[in-house]
Amino acid sequence: YENSLNNVVYYENTFDGATSITVELTYQTESTSYDWVYLYQDASTIYNNQKYGGQTQTTETITIPSNYLKIVFKTDSSVNQYYGFKAVITPNY
């Protein structure tokens, strides 16, 4: 992934009629101190105030009780090479 991404929005959508959204998130970053992914449950609220990141590639399944999802990625000027992230998004109706 690129260096010095200051809270770049990678995805944003409202799923009309959905009761929740399930995100299968795979990530690997330098650490949650430097590079991480945020999932937003509305335009300004981070879901569970959780930073997703770390040097071990990890996959988590997260269900957000909202019909809105925004994925934001923040990186510093790290020169390390890590996977970044992948999100599979499923709205639940």
Side-chain angles (χ1 to χ4, degrees):
Y1 53 82
E2 295 181 49
N3 290 327
S4 302
L5 299 175
N6 189 17
N7 295 323
V8 173
V9 176
Y10 273 82
Y11 181 83
E12 185 174 18
N13 194 25
T14 299
F15 295 92
D16 292 332
T19 56
S20 63
I21 299 169
T22 300
V23 181
E24 184 181 272
L25 184 66
T26 301
Y27 57 84
Q28 181 187 28
T29 68
E30 184 177 5
S31 79
T32 55
S33 297
Y34 304 107
D35 309 316
W36 62 83
V37 177
Y38 275 139
L39 303 177
Y40 282 72
Q41 66 185 35
D42 63 42
S44 60
T45 306
I46 299 167
Y47 179 67
N48 283 345
N49 207 25
Q50 177 73 42
K51 293 178 180 179
Y52 295 95
Q55 291 186 2
T56 301
Q57 187 168 321
T58 302
T59 299
E60 293 189 46
T61 301
I62 304 118
T63 300
I64 299 173
S66 176
N67 68 346
Y68 172 90
L69 174 65
K70 179 169 65 174
I71 300 174
V72 175
F73 193 36
K74 193 248 183 249
T75 69
D76 68 353
S77 59
S78 168
V79 295
N80 295 313
Q81 300 295 314
Y82 293 102
Y83 175 82
F85 75 95
K86 174 186 173 184
V88 177
I89 300 160
T90 306
N92 304 304
Y93 294 95

